[in-house]
Amino acid sequence: MVTMGGQLHDGKAGHDLGVHMGGHLHDHTHSGHAHPALRPAVLGWAMVATLGLVIAEVFGGIAGRSVALLNDAVHNLSDVPALGISWLAMRWAERPADSEKTYGYHRAGILASFTNALLLLLLAIWLGYEAVERLRSPVRVVESWMIWTSLAALAVNGGITLALVRGRKDLNLRSILVHNFGDALSNIAIIGGAVIIRATGAHWVDPLLGLAIGLLVLWSSVGILRESSHILLEGRPREMRVEEVARAILTITGVQEVHDVHIWSLGGGHNALSLHARIPDMHMDECERMLAAIQEKAEREFGIDHITVQLERAGLPARSGYVMPEPAKK
């Protein structure tokens, strides 16, 4: 068995086949880890600002008799626990791996985004029901309350959205970014709706906007729910193809076959790869160079920073569910 750490366990077969070069490389490359660009404190301030906005929108919705404002207040209220969960997830993700969580806590953010999306999905259904009920029985609204409250909300949501743009590649932060961007669009729609109501007297526009906000929440939450559950179920990163990674490894001199390839995401932009590679008999130092070449190619071309390789002697039958038997292209 060959390990990058430096031990070689070899045994000779009963016939003259030389040394069986099988082994595992457990390599943890930390230099390539991409931590979120934002600090947890940003989410803390965003949570305080959002809570203040909710209070303002509830007051404005009651005073202005606007279901759109009240629905948007509930929508923003859902962001408060979402921001809190994401803040906690970012703090957890900074914790190092230990004997129990050997991969670390990167999945904490994915779990947070899954929980947030599930809560939003239920909320969207409720918002839609309330809007339909108001469409059946329209209520006269006070347009000035809708306009001024939504302008204040737009300033808060727009500011939070801009602050979170730097962390958009992190799924946990992206879920919060989508929420606040949707909130900002809702504020713009409410302002426009209030202008239309003032000009035409069409008070049914208000519940219609509330229904549109509910559909927006539904659309965004379903997308995040699908992506976060894909990662939690060990799905391969969307931007990668198993065949492409396997063929890239095959281009390394000496690698004759690649099989049993598995690619998954650890969360927080960290991807992992495990595979079996068949190679000719060679000395320990040559094995180490080949393992380093596999690691370097996987990290440089695909951004994979946790790599496990099992070297096997070429010519033996493969016992795996996924085989890439193409010869390396010279």
Short mmCIF file of all heavy atoms in Angstrom, two decimals, residues 209-258:
data_model
loop_
_atom_site.label_atom_id
_atom_site.label_comp_id
_atom_site.label_asym_id
_atom_site.label_seq_id
_atom_site.Cartn_x
_atom_site.Cartn_y
_atom_site.Cartn_z
N LEU A 209 -50.23 42.19 -6.26
CA LEU A 209 -48.80 42.29 -5.95
C LEU A 209 -48.42 41.31 -4.84
O LEU A 209 -47.35 40.70 -4.87
CB LEU A 209 -48.46 43.72 -5.52
CG LEU A 209 -48.44 44.78 -6.62
CD1 LEU A 209 -48.26 46.16 -6.01
CD2 LEU A 209 -47.32 44.50 -7.61
N GLY A 210 -49.32 41.16 -3.85
CA GLY A 210 -49.06 40.20 -2.79
C GLY A 210 -48.93 38.79 -3.32
O GLY A 210 -48.07 38.01 -2.88
N LEU A 211 -49.78 38.43 -4.30
CA LEU A 211 -49.70 37.11 -4.93
C LEU A 211 -48.40 36.95 -5.71
O LEU A 211 -47.76 35.89 -5.66
CB LEU A 211 -50.90 36.92 -5.85
CG LEU A 211 -51.02 35.55 -6.54
CD1 LEU A 211 -51.11 34.43 -5.51
CD2 LEU A 211 -52.22 35.53 -7.49
N ALA A 212 -47.99 38.01 -6.41
CA ALA A 212 -46.74 37.95 -7.17
C ALA A 212 -45.54 37.77 -6.24
O ALA A 212 -44.61 37.03 -6.55
CB ALA A 212 -46.58 39.23 -8.00
N ILE A 213 -45.57 38.44 -5.08
CA ILE A 213 -44.49 38.29 -4.10
C ILE A 213 -44.43 36.84 -3.61
O ILE A 213 -43.35 36.25 -3.47
CB ILE A 213 -44.68 39.25 -2.93
CG1 ILE A 213 -44.51 40.70 -3.40
CG2 ILE A 213 -43.69 38.94 -1.79
CD1 ILE A 213 -44.89 41.73 -2.35
N GLY A 214 -45.61 36.25 -3.37
CA GLY A 214 -45.65 34.86 -2.94
C GLY A 214 -45.06 33.91 -3.98
O GLY A 214 -44.33 32.97 -3.66
N LEU A 215 -45.37 34.16 -5.26
CA LEU A 215 -44.81 33.33 -6.34
C LEU A 215 -43.30 33.52 -6.46
O LEU A 215 -42.57 32.57 -6.76
CB LEU A 215 -45.50 33.69 -7.67
CG LEU A 215 -46.98 33.30 -7.78
CD1 LEU A 215 -47.56 33.81 -9.09
CD2 LEU A 215 -47.14 31.79 -7.67
N LEU A 216 -42.82 34.75 -6.23
CA LEU A 216 -41.39 35.00 -6.27
C LEU A 216 -40.67 34.23 -5.16
O LEU A 216 -39.61 33.62 -5.39
CB LEU A 216 -41.12 36.50 -6.11
CG LEU A 216 -39.65 36.94 -6.08
CD1 LEU A 216 -38.96 36.62 -7.40
CD2 LEU A 216 -39.54 38.43 -5.77
N VAL A 217 -41.26 34.24 -3.97
CA VAL A 217 -40.68 33.47 -2.87
C VAL A 217 -40.66 31.99 -3.20
O VAL A 217 -39.68 31.28 -2.93
CB VAL A 217 -41.48 33.72 -1.57
CG1 VAL A 217 -40.94 32.87 -0.43
CG2 VAL A 217 -41.44 35.19 -1.18
N LEU A 218 -41.75 31.50 -3.79
CA LEU A 218 -41.84 30.08 -4.15
C LEU A 218 -40.77 29.69 -5.15
O LEU A 218 -40.08 28.68 -5.01
CB LEU A 218 -43.23 29.79 -4.73
CG LEU A 218 -43.52 28.34 -5.12
CD1 LEU A 218 -43.52 27.45 -3.89
CD2 LEU A 218 -44.86 28.24 -5.84
N TRP A 219 -40.59 30.52 -6.18
CA TRP A 219 -39.60 30.22 -7.23
C TRP A 219 -38.18 30.19 -6.67
O TRP A 219 -37.41 29.27 -6.95
CB TRP A 219 -39.71 31.28 -8.34
CG TRP A 219 -38.63 31.15 -9.37
CD1 TRP A 219 -38.57 30.27 -10.41
CD2 TRP A 219 -37.44 31.95 -9.46
NE1 TRP A 219 -37.42 30.46 -11.14
CE2 TRP A 219 -36.70 31.48 -10.58
CE3 TRP A 219 -36.92 33.00 -8.70
CZ2 TRP A 219 -35.48 32.04 -10.96
CZ3 TRP A 219 -35.71 33.55 -9.07
CH2 TRP A 219 -35.01 33.07 -10.19
N SER A 220 -37.83 31.17 -5.85
CA SER A 220 -36.48 31.22 -5.32
C SER A 220 -36.21 30.10 -4.33
O SER A 220 -35.13 29.51 -4.32
CB SER A 220 -36.22 32.58 -4.66
OG SER A 220 -37.10 32.78 -3.57
N SER A 221 -37.20 29.76 -3.52
CA SER A 221 -37.00 28.73 -2.50
C SER A 221 -36.87 27.35 -3.12
O SER A 221 -36.07 26.53 -2.65
CB SER A 221 -38.13 28.76 -1.47
OG SER A 221 -39.38 28.52 -2.10
N VAL A 222 -37.62 27.07 -4.19
CA VAL A 222 -37.53 25.76 -4.83
C VAL A 222 -36.15 25.54 -5.42
O VAL A 222 -35.56 24.46 -5.31
CB VAL A 222 -38.62 25.60 -5.91
CG1 VAL A 222 -38.35 24.39 -6.80
CG2 VAL A 222 -39.99 25.46 -5.26
N GLY A 223 -35.59 26.58 -6.07
CA GLY A 223 -34.26 26.46 -6.66
C GLY A 223 -33.19 26.18 -5.62
O GLY A 223 -32.33 25.31 -5.80
N ILE A 224 -33.23 26.91 -4.51
CA ILE A 224 -32.24 26.72 -3.44
C ILE A 224 -32.43 25.36 -2.77
O ILE A 224 -31.46 24.68 -2.42
CB ILE A 224 -32.34 27.85 -2.42
CG1 ILE A 224 -31.95 29.18 -3.06
CG2 ILE A 224 -31.45 27.57 -1.21
CD1 ILE A 224 -32.20 30.38 -2.19
N LEU A 225 -33.69 24.94 -2.62
CA LEU A 225 -33.99 23.64 -2.01
C LEU A 225 -33.40 22.51 -2.85
O LEU A 225 -32.81 21.56 -2.32
CB LEU A 225 -35.50 23.47 -1.85
CG LEU A 225 -35.99 22.38 -0.90
CD1 LEU A 225 -35.54 22.65 0.52
CD2 LEU A 225 -37.51 22.28 -0.97
N ARG A 226 -33.55 22.61 -4.17
CA ARG A 226 -33.02 21.57 -5.06
C ARG A 226 -31.50 21.51 -5.00
O ARG A 226 -30.91 20.43 -4.92
CB ARG A 226 -33.48 21.83 -6.49
CG ARG A 226 -34.96 21.58 -6.74
CD ARG A 226 -35.34 21.87 -8.17
NE ARG A 226 -34.58 21.06 -9.10
CZ ARG A 226 -34.64 21.21 -10.43
NH1 ARG A 226 -35.41 22.14 -10.96
NH2 ARG A 226 -33.95 20.42 -11.21
N GLU A 227 -30.85 22.67 -5.02
CA GLU A 227 -29.39 22.68 -5.05
C GLU A 227 -28.79 22.24 -3.72
O GLU A 227 -27.81 21.47 -3.69
CB GLU A 227 -28.88 24.08 -5.40
CG GLU A 227 -27.39 24.13 -5.65
CD GLU A 227 -26.95 25.44 -6.28
OE1 GLU A 227 -27.82 26.27 -6.62
OE2 GLU A 227 -25.72 25.64 -6.42
N SER A 228 -29.36 22.69 -2.61
CA SER A 228 -28.84 22.30 -1.30
C SER A 228 -29.06 20.82 -1.03
O SER A 228 -28.19 20.14 -0.49
CB SER A 228 -29.46 23.15 -0.19
OG SER A 228 -30.88 23.03 -0.20
N SER A 229 -30.22 20.28 -1.42
CA SER A 229 -30.47 18.85 -1.23
C SER A 229 -29.56 18.02 -2.11
O SER A 229 -29.14 16.92 -1.73
CB SER A 229 -31.94 18.52 -1.51
OG SER A 229 -32.29 18.83 -2.86
N HIS A 230 -29.22 18.53 -3.30
CA HIS A 230 -28.28 17.82 -4.19
C HIS A 230 -26.92 17.66 -3.50
O HIS A 230 -26.31 16.58 -3.57
CB HIS A 230 -28.14 18.61 -5.49
CG HIS A 230 -27.17 18.01 -6.47
ND1 HIS A 230 -27.45 16.90 -7.22
CD2 HIS A 230 -25.89 18.36 -6.79
CE1 HIS A 230 -26.41 16.60 -7.99
NE2 HIS A 230 -25.45 17.47 -7.74
N ILE A 231 -26.46 18.69 -2.83
CA ILE A 231 -25.17 18.62 -2.13
C ILE A 231 -25.26 17.71 -0.92
O ILE A 231 -24.36 16.90 -0.65
CB ILE A 231 -24.70 20.03 -1.73
CG1 ILE A 231 -24.39 20.86 -2.97
CG2 ILE A 231 -23.48 19.96 -0.82
CD1 ILE A 231 -24.01 22.29 -2.68
N LEU A 232 -26.35 17.81 -0.16
CA LEU A 232 -26.52 16.97 1.02
C LEU A 232 -26.61 15.49 0.66
O LEU A 232 -26.25 14.63 1.46
CB LEU A 232 -27.77 17.40 1.80
CG LEU A 232 -27.70 18.77 2.47
CD1 LEU A 232 -29.04 19.13 3.08
CD2 LEU A 232 -26.61 18.79 3.55
N LEU A 233 -27.06 15.19 -0.57
CA LEU A 233 -27.15 13.81 -1.04
C LEU A 233 -25.88 13.38 -1.77
O LEU A 233 -25.90 12.39 -2.52
CB LEU A 233 -28.37 13.64 -1.94
CG LEU A 233 -29.73 13.73 -1.24
CD1 LEU A 233 -30.87 13.73 -2.25
CD2 LEU A 233 -29.90 12.58 -0.24
N GLU A 234 -24.79 14.11 -1.58
CA GLU A 234 -23.47 13.78 -2.16
C GLU A 234 -23.48 13.83 -3.70
O GLU A 234 -22.73 13.09 -4.35
CB GLU A 234 -23.00 12.38 -1.71
CG GLU A 234 -22.98 12.16 -0.21
CD GLU A 234 -21.87 12.92 0.47
OE1 GLU A 234 -21.06 13.54 -0.23
OE2 GLU A 234 -21.81 12.88 1.72
N GLY A 235 -24.31 14.69 -4.27
CA GLY A 235 -24.31 14.84 -5.72
C GLY A 235 -23.03 15.51 -6.21
O GLY A 235 -22.40 16.28 -5.48
N ARG A 236 -22.66 15.23 -7.43
CA ARG A 236 -21.45 15.83 -7.99
C ARG A 236 -21.68 17.33 -8.22
O ARG A 236 -22.81 17.76 -8.48
CB ARG A 236 -21.06 15.16 -9.30
CG ARG A 236 -22.06 15.35 -10.42
CD ARG A 236 -21.49 14.98 -11.77
NE ARG A 236 -22.51 15.06 -12.80
CZ ARG A 236 -22.93 16.19 -13.37
NH1 ARG A 236 -22.40 17.33 -13.00
NH2 ARG A 236 -23.87 16.17 -14.29
N PRO A 237 -20.64 18.14 -8.13
CA PRO A 237 -20.78 19.57 -8.44
C PRO A 237 -21.30 19.76 -9.85
O PRO A 237 -20.88 19.08 -10.78
CB PRO A 237 -19.34 20.09 -8.29
CG PRO A 237 -18.69 19.14 -7.35
CD PRO A 237 -19.30 17.80 -7.65
N ARG A 238 -22.23 20.68 -10.03
CA ARG A 238 -22.90 20.87 -11.32
C ARG A 238 -21.94 21.20 -12.44
O ARG A 238 -22.17 20.83 -13.59
CB ARG A 238 -23.94 22.00 -11.20
CG ARG A 238 -25.00 21.79 -10.14
CD ARG A 238 -25.97 20.70 -10.51
NE ARG A 238 -27.10 20.67 -9.58
CZ ARG A 238 -28.05 19.75 -9.60
NH1 ARG A 238 -27.99 18.77 -10.49
NH2 ARG A 238 -29.05 19.78 -8.73
N GLU A 239 -20.86 21.91 -12.11
CA GLU A 239 -19.95 22.37 -13.16
C GLU A 239 -18.97 21.30 -13.60
O GLU A 239 -18.18 21.52 -14.53
CB GLU A 239 -19.16 23.59 -12.66
CG GLU A 239 -18.14 23.30 -11.56
CD GLU A 239 -18.74 23.27 -10.16
OE1 GLU A 239 -19.99 23.28 -10.04
OE2 GLU A 239 -17.97 23.22 -9.20
N MET A 240 -19.01 20.12 -13.00
CA MET A 240 -18.07 19.05 -13.35
C MET A 240 -18.78 17.87 -14.00
O MET A 240 -19.98 17.66 -13.79
CB MET A 240 -17.33 18.55 -12.10
CG MET A 240 -16.45 19.59 -11.45
SD MET A 240 -15.54 18.88 -10.06
CE MET A 240 -15.07 20.37 -9.19
N ARG A 241 -18.01 17.10 -14.77
CA ARG A 241 -18.49 15.85 -15.36
C ARG A 241 -17.51 14.75 -14.98
O ARG A 241 -16.30 14.93 -15.10
CB ARG A 241 -18.59 15.95 -16.89
CG ARG A 241 -19.62 16.96 -17.38
CD ARG A 241 -21.04 16.49 -17.09
NE ARG A 241 -22.04 17.41 -17.58
CZ ARG A 241 -22.51 18.44 -16.89
NH1 ARG A 241 -22.04 18.69 -15.67
NH2 ARG A 241 -23.44 19.23 -17.40
N VAL A 242 -18.04 13.63 -14.51
CA VAL A 242 -17.18 12.54 -14.08
C VAL A 242 -16.27 12.08 -15.22
O VAL A 242 -15.07 11.84 -15.04
CB VAL A 242 -18.03 11.35 -13.58
CG1 VAL A 242 -17.15 10.14 -13.27
CG2 VAL A 242 -18.81 11.75 -12.33
N GLU A 243 -16.83 12.00 -16.43
CA GLU A 243 -16.04 11.55 -17.58
C GLU A 243 -14.88 12.49 -17.87
O GLU A 243 -13.78 12.05 -18.19
CB GLU A 243 -16.95 11.43 -18.82
CG GLU A 243 -18.04 10.38 -18.70
CD GLU A 243 -19.29 10.91 -18.01
OE1 GLU A 243 -19.24 12.05 -17.49
OE2 GLU A 243 -20.30 10.18 -17.99
N GLU A 244 -15.12 13.80 -17.76
CA GLU A 244 -14.06 14.77 -18.05
C GLU A 244 -12.93 14.67 -17.04
O GLU A 244 -11.74 14.73 -17.41
CB GLU A 244 -14.65 16.18 -18.04
CG GLU A 244 -15.62 16.46 -19.19
CD GLU A 244 -16.19 17.86 -19.10
OE1 GLU A 244 -15.82 18.60 -18.17
OE2 GLU A 244 -17.03 18.20 -19.96
N VAL A 245 -13.25 14.49 -15.77
CA VAL A 245 -12.22 14.35 -14.75
C VAL A 245 -11.42 13.07 -14.98
O VAL A 245 -10.18 13.08 -14.92
CB VAL A 245 -12.85 14.35 -13.34
CG1 VAL A 245 -11.79 14.08 -12.28
CG2 VAL A 245 -13.55 15.68 -13.06
N ALA A 246 -12.12 11.97 -15.26
CA ALA A 246 -11.43 10.70 -15.48
C ALA A 246 -10.50 10.77 -16.69
O ALA A 246 -9.36 10.30 -16.63
CB ALA A 246 -12.46 9.58 -15.67
N ARG A 247 -10.96 11.37 -17.77
CA ARG A 247 -10.12 11.47 -18.97
C ARG A 247 -8.92 12.39 -18.74
O ARG A 247 -7.85 12.18 -19.30
CB ARG A 247 -10.95 11.95 -20.15
CG ARG A 247 -11.98 10.90 -20.61
CD ARG A 247 -12.67 11.30 -21.91
NE ARG A 247 -13.60 10.27 -22.33
CZ ARG A 247 -14.93 10.38 -22.30
NH1 ARG A 247 -15.47 11.51 -21.89
NH2 ARG A 247 -15.70 9.39 -22.70
N ALA A 248 -9.10 13.41 -17.93
CA ALA A 248 -7.97 14.29 -17.61
C ALA A 248 -6.90 13.54 -16.83
O ALA A 248 -5.70 13.69 -17.08
CB ALA A 248 -8.45 15.51 -16.81
N ILE A 249 -7.32 12.70 -15.89
CA ILE A 249 -6.36 11.90 -15.12
C ILE A 249 -5.64 10.91 -16.04
O ILE A 249 -4.45 10.62 -15.87
CB ILE A 249 -7.06 11.15 -13.98
CG1 ILE A 249 -7.76 12.15 -13.04
CG2 ILE A 249 -6.07 10.30 -13.19
CD1 ILE A 249 -6.85 13.15 -12.40
N LEU A 250 -6.34 10.40 -17.05
CA LEU A 250 -5.75 9.44 -17.99
C LEU A 250 -4.63 10.05 -18.83
O LEU A 250 -3.82 9.33 -19.40
CB LEU A 250 -6.82 8.86 -18.91
CG LEU A 250 -7.70 7.75 -18.32
CD1 LEU A 250 -8.86 7.45 -19.23
CD2 LEU A 250 -6.89 6.49 -18.07
N THR A 251 -4.59 11.36 -18.95
CA THR A 251 -3.53 11.99 -19.75
C THR A 251 -2.19 12.02 -19.01
O THR A 251 -1.17 12.35 -19.61
CB THR A 251 -3.93 13.44 -20.12
OG1 THR A 251 -4.08 14.22 -18.92
CG2 THR A 251 -5.24 13.46 -20.89
N ILE A 252 -2.19 11.70 -17.71
CA ILE A 252 -0.94 11.68 -16.94
C ILE A 252 -0.14 10.44 -17.34
O ILE A 252 -0.66 9.33 -17.37
CB ILE A 252 -1.25 11.67 -15.43
CG1 ILE A 252 -1.98 12.96 -15.03
CG2 ILE A 252 0.04 11.50 -14.62
CD1 ILE A 252 -2.43 12.98 -13.59
N THR A 253 1.12 10.62 -17.64
CA THR A 253 1.99 9.53 -18.06
C THR A 253 2.04 8.43 -17.00
O THR A 253 2.33 8.71 -15.83
CB THR A 253 3.42 10.04 -18.33
OG1 THR A 253 3.35 11.07 -19.32
CG2 THR A 253 4.32 8.92 -18.82
N GLY A 254 1.75 7.21 -17.41
CA GLY A 254 1.78 6.07 -16.51
C GLY A 254 0.42 5.61 -16.06
O GLY A 254 0.25 4.45 -15.67
N VAL A 255 -0.59 6.46 -16.10
CA VAL A 255 -1.95 6.07 -15.71
C VAL A 255 -2.60 5.35 -16.89
O VAL A 255 -2.83 5.96 -17.94
CB VAL A 255 -2.79 7.29 -15.29
CG1 VAL A 255 -4.20 6.85 -14.93
CG2 VAL A 255 -2.14 8.01 -14.12
N GLN A 256 -2.88 4.08 -16.74
CA GLN A 256 -3.41 3.28 -17.83
C GLN A 256 -4.93 3.10 -17.76
O GLN A 256 -5.56 2.79 -18.76
CB GLN A 256 -2.72 1.90 -17.84
CG GLN A 256 -1.22 1.99 -18.08
CD GLN A 256 -0.56 0.64 -18.16
OE1 GLN A 256 -1.23 -0.40 -18.13
NE2 GLN A 256 0.76 0.62 -18.26
N GLU A 257 -5.49 3.26 -16.58
CA GLU A 257 -6.94 3.10 -16.42
C GLU A 257 -7.39 3.86 -15.19
O GLU A 257 -6.66 3.93 -14.19
CB GLU A 257 -7.31 1.62 -16.30
CG GLU A 257 -8.80 1.37 -16.15
CD GLU A 257 -9.11 -0.10 -15.89
OE1 GLU A 257 -8.74 -0.93 -16.75
OE2 GLU A 257 -9.69 -0.40 -14.84
N VAL A 258 -8.58 4.44 -15.26
CA VAL A 258 -9.18 5.12 -14.11
C VAL A 258 -10.58 4.58 -13.91
O VAL A 258 -11.35 4.47 -14.86
CB VAL A 258 -9.24 6.66 -14.34
CG1 VAL A 258 -9.96 7.34 -13.18
CG2 VAL A 258 -7.85 7.24 -14.50
#
